[in-house]
Amino acid sequence: MSLILDHVSYTYSVGSGYEVKALNDVNLKIEDGEFIGIIGHTGSGKSTLVQHLNGLIQATSGTIYYNGADIYDKDYDRKELRTQVGMVFQYPEHQLFETTVFEDVKYGPKNQGLDDKQATLRAFEALQKVKFPEENYDASPFELSGGQKRRAAIAGVIAMKPAVLILDEPTAGLDPKGRDEILGLIREMHDKSGITIILVSHSMEDVANYVDRIIVMEKGAPLFDGAPREVFANYKKLEEIGLAAPQVTYLMHDLYDQGYPVDPQATTVEEAKQEILRVFGNR
Amino acid sequence: MGIIEAKDLVHEYYRRDEEGNVESIETAVDHVNLSVQPGQFISILGHNGSGKSTLAKHINALLLPTEGTLLVDGKDTSVEANELSIRKNAGMVFQNPDNQIIASVVEEDVGFGPENIGVPTEEIWTRVEKALKSVGMWEYRTHSPNRLSGGQKQRVAIAGVMAMEPKCIILDEPTAMLDPDGRKEVIKTAHELNRTKGVTIILITHYMEEVVDSDYVYVMEKGSVVMKGTPREIFSQVDALKQYRLDVPQVTLLADELRKAGMDIPAGILTREELLEALCH
């Protein structure tokens, strides 16, 4: 059970004179139940990459295997793939359109061909999962606060019971608390249901705090791929390509460079705190 | 007298039913007093729905006070005759760069504002040149805006405001949709305009790191100003900020945690250099 990208390349505007190679020979394996962060600056190919995973964009060359089957096969059921690999786009609340939140969440499962009763159950389950307040189930999506709208939009995708959930910048425009709530929710869904999560983000702090594996995209291909501490150890290179490691990583490196025996790879506030207390604690 | 003076400013949104009867009233700005001196760099923090954008829209008379007064450069925003001069003096940059750029060539976009208020053609081009140079986008003047990065688009939007030769610029979450590079670009540009051209800046943001270099910070909650002070004064109150759904820069949080764990570290650490200094002194 996995997603495999085999020599995937994608070129925009082929033959127009404005060809842009958005993906350049990408080879990746995403296992079941992973929690992955994809980072990269605007134009690095990260959005193009995830849009390949559920067949929204077809590779110019190379292929993608989902659970062992080639998704570009003639007979492959790509509609089914889209329910298996759910995608929450940036500012997903712009896509809410039904008259009530509940109807909006039901739309996906109904579209999958489930009957009304089953779709209702799915919607109920999904709204509970995202901790959407019950008293607002029948509210118009347009009356909700930013954070609630985003929850409703995520519920709409979860209601289709995807095995893989891709979220493109799910916290853009939210305040710090709202951001922590949404990310905490995603983490909880991952831990409880074992769903594979792919989080596209340009916030290094968010990614460091939540994911198990980071893929850094640069010029259409993965530049680094590993656990947050491994990836952020390359903070100088990350800076060169317009990204940055979390603030604490810099501090830990500064301390290390000045001769203090701290572990420079600490990437979260908690890790840094423990390291500093360990080394400086008795002063 | 400050360039922006809010006195007991109140703004209420009315929700009406189909017959036009008032269903509910929401007080988005609740008796706010604010005084900004010319040339200051001010930041306004607050979670979604705290009233900060509503307040910002008063500063260039996009919204008018329900109660209280707001003076921009001495002019009352609620007097209709002042509207044009207020809009010229207080330019606004919004969150989404794609909603603010209208022309198909960068320099034409920047020239749109001055043209719209009847600036003579000769002078428009001088202004466009000055404005684009001030944000470092002069070399892109003949480019198409849709080929620019998010940060570059926002700089063009700022140039568009600069071409109106405003005394103050209000930036309403200008970096919310940008990547880290774009964010740095925009904040650096705002500081440069403040430093070199003396433009008063009002920055509204969710990113605590962007606030560190401001002269003064206001924190809004439920339409009121609940905290105000220098960045150091504000960020030394980690728990209060959290209560308002906000955050502090990561190093500030780390310094605070270390202090709580018993280490001798001063409150209100803002940068990693300061924390390093405190640890290694």
Side-chain angles (χ1 to χ4, degrees):
Chain A
M1 299 286 273
S2 59
L3 264 164
I4 295 171
L5 281 79
D6 185 19
H7 295 285
V8 169
S9 292
Y10 182 76
T11 311
Y12 280 105
S13 322
V14 174
S16 70
Y18 291 100
E19 287 190 13
V20 181
K21 203 151 199 182
L23 290 183
N24 193 0
D25 196 30
V26 176
N27 295 294
L28 273 181
K29 185 167 186 192
I30 295 168
E31 297 284 358
D32 240 16
E34 281 199 276
F35 194 145
I36 297 180
I38 298 185
I39 61 180
H41 62 78
T42 316
S44 60
K46 58 188 194 310
S47 290
T48 310
L49 174 69
V50 293
Q51 286 177 50
H52 276 80
L53 300 182
N54 73 345
L56 274 178
I57 299 183
Q58 180 160 356
T60 319
S61 65
T63 192
I64 295 173
Y65 299 93
Y66 179 65
N67 292 340
D70 183 343
I71 69 165
Y72 297 141
D73 254 2
K74 275 201 313 301
D75 315 327
Y76 192 82
D77 183 355
R78 266 202 266 164
K79 196 175 167 212
E80 174 60 19
L81 177 70
R82 271 182 213 148
T83 62
Q84 288 285 311
V85 182
M87 178 102 165
V88 178
F89 290 95
Q90 261 186 55
Y91 294 89
E93 58 273 22
H94 294 172
Q95 295 163 47
L96 297 170
F97 65 98
E98 282 279 8
T99 49
T100 71
V101 170
F102 203 82
E103 285 303 314
D104 205 281
V105 177
K106 251 171 82 172
Y107 178 83
K110 263 164 61 186
N111 209 24
Q112 270 179 290
L114 297 183
D115 65 30
D116 194 67
K117 198 173 161 193
Q118 282 172 308
T120 302
L121 262 173
R122 286 278 192 93
F124 188 71
E125 246 181 345
L127 284 164
Q128 291 227 307
K129 262 194 192 155
V130 300
K131 303 208 172 102
F132 190 86
E134 228 162 291
E135 63 271 20
N136 283 347
Y137 280 11
D138 289 326
S140 157
F142 305 103
E143 292 174 350
L144 306 174
S145 72
Q148 281 188 4
K149 275 188 197 169
R150 192 125 335 158
R151 275 165 205 256
I154 294 174
V157 176
I158 299 180
M160 295 187 279
K161 293 224 165 161
V164 180
L165 182 64
I166 302 168
L167 301 112
D168 194 354
E169 295 281 351
T171 62
L174 294 183
D175 60 45
K177 183 86 182 294
R179 187 190 66 204
D180 291 347
E181 282 170 6
I182 292 288
L183 289 171
L185 181 77
I186 294 167
R187 171 99 244 179
E188 197 181 311
M189 285 194 310
H190 171 265
D191 293 351
K192 276 194 183 153
S193 61
I195 185 172
T196 308
I197 304 272
I198 299 171
L199 188 71
V200 179
S201 175
H202 40 228
S203 166
M204 307 307 140
E205 277 86 2
D206 287 357
V207 164
N209 280 332
Y210 290 93
V211 310
D212 304 323
R213 172 182 170 195
I214 294 177
I215 298 169
V216 179
M217 291 294 289
E218 169 66 1
K219 294 191 180 135
L223 178 67
F224 298 115
D225 183 348
R229 42 195 297 127
E230 292 162 24
V231 169
F232 289 132
N234 303 293
Y235 67 106
K236 286 196 176 125
K237 180 69 189 166
L238 287 174
E239 206 147 80
E240 275 169 38
I241 60 168
L243 298 172
Q247 273 188 330
V248 297
T249 306
Y250 291 97
L251 178 79
M252 298 311 275
H253 277 276
D254 289 345
L255 287 171
Y256 185 77
D257 291 346
Q258 295 203 8
Y260 294 95
V262 293
D263 173 7
Q265 292 196 357
T267 52
T268 66
V269 169
E270 188 53 36
E271 284 170 19
K273 176 184 160 188
Q274 295 310 334
E275 273 302 296
I276 291 176
L277 286 176
R278 183 176 67 76
V279 174
F280 290 83
N282 49 4
R283 297 192 340 172
Chain B
M1 170 98 135
I3 185 158
I4 297 161
E5 291 283 346
K7 190 150 190 304
D8 287 324
L9 183 71
V10 174
H11 190 87
E12 287 172 346
Y13 288 111
Y14 288 78
R15 206 161 100 187
R16 293 172 193 277
D17 63 15
E18 279 150 17
E19 279 95 45
N21 303 312
V22 175
E23 256 186 352
S24 63
I25 301 175
E26 193 201 333
T27 310
V29 173
D30 193 0
H31 296 91
V32 165
N33 290 292
L34 195 79
S35 173
V36 179
Q37 300 307 312
Q40 275 193 313
F41 194 115
I42 300 292
S43 295
I44 302 178
L45 292 171
H47 63 75
N48 296 115
S50 61
K52 55 193 192 317
S53 289
T54 304
L55 175 65
K57 287 183 185 126
H58 279 81
I59 303 176
N60 77 341
L62 279 176
L63 292 175
L64 297 177
T66 314
E67 275 175 43
T69 52
L70 182 70
L71 303 182
V72 177
D73 201 23
K75 294 200 169 82
D76 189 336
T77 59
S78 59
V79 177
E80 215 182 317
N82 291 337
E83 193 183 277
L84 190 60
S85 93
I86 287 171
R87 296 245 165 101
K88 271 197 272 184
N89 272 326
M92 190 114 180
V93 176
F94 297 96
Q95 188 181 105
N96 189 340
D98 295 317
N99 293 348
Q100 307 174 67
I101 292 181
I102 43 168
S104 53
V105 180
V106 165
E107 58 183 359
E108 282 175 14
D109 192 82
V110 176
F112 180 82
E115 186 180 13
N116 209 20
I117 55 167
V119 173
T121 313
E122 278 300 291
E123 200 195 324
I124 293 178
W125 291 115
T126 337
R127 284 193 186 196
V128 167
E129 180 175 345
K130 264 209 304 208
L132 279 171
K133 281 182 174 163
S134 72
V135 300
M137 288 295 291
W138 177 239
E139 63 206 273
Y140 292 90
R141 63 189 176 278
T142 57
H143 284 226
S144 156
N146 61 25
R147 294 247 163 203
L148 301 177
S149 73
Q152 290 172 331
K153 283 182 195 167
Q154 281 301 53
R155 276 151 68 198
V156 171
I158 295 173
V161 170
M162 280 301 284
M164 306 287 279
E165 302 188 336
K167 292 186 176 155
C168 100
I169 299 181
I170 303 120
L171 300 138
D172 190 358
E173 294 190 39
T175 59
M177 301 178 83
L178 307 182
D179 63 19
D181 246 15
R183 258 157 47 194
K184 266 190 234 158
E185 245 173 73
V186 169
I187 298 301
K188 195 172 139 239
T189 304
H191 275 289
E192 261 165 30
L193 293 176
N194 176 252
R195 209 171 38 242
T196 62
K197 315 266 170 197
V199 183
T200 308
I201 304 279
I202 317 275
L203 171 68
I204 295 174
T205 184
H206 282 155
Y207 292 107
M208 305 300 138
E209 287 80 3
E210 295 176 355
V211 171
V212 170
D213 296 320
S214 313
D215 296 318
Y216 210 72
V217 182
Y218 291 89
V219 178
M220 288 191 71
E221 161 79 3
K222 293 198 180 116
S224 304
V225 172
V226 288
M227 292 170 82
K228 55 184 177 179
T230 61
R232 196 174 305 282
E233 285 161 7
I234 297 292
F235 288 135
S236 55
Q237 303 172 58
V238 177
D239 295 335
L241 283 167
K242 286 208 165 149
Q243 183 197 323
Y244 298 128
R245 295 178 64 96
L246 297 172
D247 225 348
V248 294
Q250 222 186 11
V251 279
T252 309
L253 182 62
L254 176 60
D256 192 62
E257 294 270 320
L258 291 172
R259 196 175 53 254
K260 282 181 182 154
M263 286 185 74
D264 176 24
I265 286 171
I269 294 272
L270 295 181
T271 64
R272 70 176 215 257
E273 289 78 13
E274 288 174 11
L275 181 52
L276 199 63
E277 174 66 31
L279 284 170
C280 307
H281 62 80

